[in-house]
Amino acid sequence: MDSRILSTEHAAASGVAEPWEGSNEAWWDWYLSLAAEDAAPTELVDVAPPSPVDLPSISELRDELATPFELSSDHVERFQREGYLKVGGVLSPGALALARSEVERLAAQGDGPGRSGFLSLDLMWQGDSEVLRLFALSPRLGRLAADLLGVADARIYHDNVLSKTPGCGRTPWHFDAHHFPIASRDIVTSWIPLQAIPEPMGPLAFAAGIDTWKVAEAVDFSSTDSSYDRGVAQAFRDAGVQVDDTPFALGEVSFHHAWCFHFARGNATTQPRQVMATTYFADGARLVEHPTMVSGDYEKFLPGAQPGAVIDTPLNPVVSR
Ligand SMILES: O=C(O)CCC(=O)C(=O)O
């Protein structure tokens, strides 16, 4: 039931068999260069920044992020059937505002976004921000990941700020199992908007159906042009696949399975699209035998993990309790 796209033969044929040598930032620039053009907006849509709210103290934030969020059995069934789930009210406006101000502080310290206008910051929980550490290691979010996957416990693979500056382009259609060098089907990413995401800001959009990846199986991956993005979009249109590209309300969080195809349109608004994403995998999962270029800077996230061995590094603690 493995995808052809993940085979060593296809990795070699599409020119991605070698490990990635550059930075994570450079990886995102390369990856966004594989996106087809959206219909170009003539003008950015004016969107107001998030309204100011009362900020929680660190101990209030810690309590919120440690308190379980009750999922219904319908949520779990939907995730397992559709491969993704959007859940409202997972995080309070105050918690999100704290995270957003930390993301903006850290973003201002770095070199800024790459060529594509996409800024990616990762392993923030290893830095000086207690707020972002609490988010990355949050038992509320980690437990949601484990419960949706239906596994006893989840470990963190990595956290990621995914910021699109105004005018930044599209994220191409892809499924994350293509990137993650983890030999398990039990991998899920939480995607946490740090402000509401209206339609012109480019909400993450999902192809419904846990087996929908099979529809895109015949499309060859290309490491040099947008043919994969265009080919997957066409295959989905031909097969009548339902795509959920609805806006995100403040506090709404999505979870997508590593085999769920997703994309995001560009940010055609005057505000940055600030998102924090965290990827989790089932405790006990192993590193694949042959990581490839599409796996990006994975050694940074799994330092010392050995091909074929169970992943248990200090950067991948259990976060579901
Ligand atoms: O934020 C984006 O535009 C892409 C995010 C993504 O592909 C992911 O979190 O898996």
Side-chain angles (χ1 to χ4, degrees), residues 5 59 67 70 72 84 89 100-101 111-112 125 138 142 170 188 190 201 211 223 232 235 239 262 265 281 292 307 319:
I5 300 290
S59 91
T67 308
E70 294 302 329
S72 66
Y84 78 96
R100 188 175 158 99
S101 70
D111 297 335
W125 70 278
S138 159
R170 170 185 165 92
V188 62
S190 64
M201 199 180 267
D211 287 331
S223 62
V232 170
H262 50 284
R265 280 187 304 275
F281 60 92
T292 70
V319 289

Side-chain angles (χ1 to χ4, degrees), residues 28 118 162 164 171 174 176 189 191 204 256 262 264 273 277:
W28 275 104
F118 194 98
L162 302 167
K164 281 190 176 178
T171 308
H174 65 282
D176 297 338
T189 297
W191 200 79
L204 200 62
H256 59 270
H262 50 284
R273 190 214 70 177

Side-chain angles (χ1 to χ4, degrees), residues 252-269:
E252 189 170 19
V253 172
S254 66
F255 291 84
H256 59 270
H257 190 272
W259 288 70
C260 167
F261 265 86
H262 50 284
F263 83 102
R265 280 187 304 275
N267 176 10
T269 74

Side-chain angles (χ1 to χ4, degrees), residues 49-116:
S51 314
V53 288
D54 289 338
L55 299 180
S57 66
I58 285 290
S59 91
E60 286 166 338
L61 180 69
R62 183 179 294 110
D63 282 352
E64 174 172 335
L65 291 172
T67 308
F69 181 91
E70 294 302 329
L71 284 174
S72 66
S73 56
D74 178 57
H75 281 133
V76 178
E77 274 164 33
R78 261 188 5 236
F79 175 80
Q80 294 184 354
R81 185 179 65 240
E82 304 296 0
Y84 78 96
L85 181 73
K86 290 173 78 165
V87 198
V90 174
L91 294 162
S92 68
L96 294 166
L98 264 187
R100 188 175 158 99
S101 70
E102 282 297 87
V103 162
E104 291 189 338
R105 177 178 70 82
L106 295 178
Q109 287 172 1
D111 297 335
R115 275 196 316 276
S116 58

